[in-house]
Amino acid sequence: LPGMLSNPKLEAVQSLNVVVNQKVTISCCCASASPPVRYTLFKHNQQISSSNRSDSTSALFTLTISSASDVGPYKCKAEYNTSTEGKYSNSLNFTLIEPISKPVLSSPTSHTRQGQNVTLSCFSENGSLPITYLFFRDKQSIPPQKTMHSREAAVIFLFVNSSDDSGTYKCKANNSFPNSTKYSNSFNFTLAAEEGSHSQPLIISLGLILLLLIIGFALAIPFLIIPSYKASE
């Protein structure tokens, strides 16, 4: 009589992180079993493949992950031909990694002035989480990079101290998909002139005109008063 079956172990030969249309291999094996053993692979409790092993090696199943429905869960059943009772393995799920879309760099305002705080946000609409974002100003990175575990934008706060702070800004995004780094559009702030820079020369000009009028009036007083005084004699 064959020996007692242990619960088989189901595991991926490669990583559990896969991309669309990737071929994967999973193995199923009992630590204690007397060959021959029949291994059957299930997905969502539906039988998809089987393998008869006449020795103690693992049963290997090759799959193609073509959509989200192919990620699992998978289970394996081990049984002897002489027995209707079988043992089931652990459950196995793959994680489908999707490439990210080009991130969009934006701000609530494109106009600012010196001494003002502004915000910049970077967001990739598609792609597997988490997504890591990094901002740049004139090709110089602005640390730290931000890793987002939910579908939301990464935001940085900037203090505009001079015209150098107006841009050019960019951001890049990447996730665990191989070679998936993508860069955003460029963004520049328009730096408005200081209000005082227009009003100050105007105040100075008006002040000078007023001063000249006062001086002119002061100089003219003797010529106005003396003739009138002589006329009254």
Side-chain angles (χ1 to χ4, degrees):
L1 289 174
M4 288 292 292
L5 273 173
S6 60
N7 288 90
K9 184 178 181 181
L10 187 65
E11 57 187 355
V13 175
Q14 298 92 12
S15 171
L16 287 172
N17 292 332
V18 295
V19 300
V20 175
N21 295 326
Q22 182 177 331
K23 286 188 180 296
V24 295
T25 301
I26 53 180
S27 69
C28 184
C29 186
C30 284
S32 63
S34 300
V37 180
R38 179 179 177 84
Y39 294 99
T40 306
L41 185 67
F42 295 85
K43 180 181 73 175
H44 298 298
N45 299 320
Q46 296 292 318
Q47 178 180 334
I48 59 171
S49 187
S50 62
S51 175
N52 291 304
R53 305 303 299 166
S54 57
D55 52 29
S56 59
T57 58
S58 301
L60 298 176
F61 302 98
T62 300
L63 310 164
T64 300
I65 310 297
S66 57
S67 67
S69 63
D70 296 326
V71 299
Y74 292 93
K75 277 194 174 185
C76 176
K77 179 183 179 184
E79 59 189 330
Y80 291 127
N81 292 333
T82 56
S83 172
T84 55
E85 288 190 13
K87 293 290 185 70
Y88 285 89
S89 72
N90 54 296
S91 181
L92 188 71
N93 284 275
F94 290 94
T95 301
L96 191 62
I97 304 298
E98 297 175 307
I100 51 176
S101 56
K102 180 180 177 179
V104 175
L105 184 64
S106 61
S107 175
T109 177
S110 61
H111 298 277
T112 186
R113 58 174 51 90
Q114 289 184 11
Q116 188 170 334
N117 291 301
V118 292
T119 61
L120 270 177
S121 64
C122 185
F123 180 63
S124 287
E125 189 173 352
N126 299 310
S128 300
L129 298 170
I131 297 176
T132 299
Y133 297 94
L134 182 62
F135 293 83
F136 295 85
R137 178 176 60 227
D138 298 324
K139 298 183 179 179
Q140 293 291 320
S141 62
I142 306 172
Q145 62 182 17
K146 297 177 179 289
T147 300
M148 310 303 293
H149 294 271
S150 58
R151 189 71 62 187
E152 58 182 327
V155 178
I156 61 169
F157 300 89
L158 303 166
F159 178 71
V160 179
N161 193 39
S162 68
S163 59
D164 293 338
D165 299 326
S166 62
T168 301
Y169 291 91
K170 274 194 173 187
C171 70
K172 74 172 181 178
N174 67 279
N175 62 3
S176 55
F177 191 92
N179 304 313
S180 69
T181 300
K182 286 190 173 65
Y183 287 86
S184 74
N185 53 295
S186 298
F187 188 92
N188 288 74
F189 290 101
T190 301
L191 195 61
E194 289 293 323
E195 290 180 1
S197 62
H198 292 295
S199 58
Q200 197 171 356
L202 184 63
I203 291 171
I204 293 172
S205 299
L206 289 173
L208 286 173
I209 292 169
L210 187 61
L211 184 61
L212 289 172
L213 286 173
I214 292 171
I215 292 171
F217 185 70
L219 291 173
I221 286 175
F223 296 100
L224 294 172
I225 294 176
I226 291 171
S228 61
Y229 175 72
K230 286 185 176 180
S232 61
E233 284 183 351

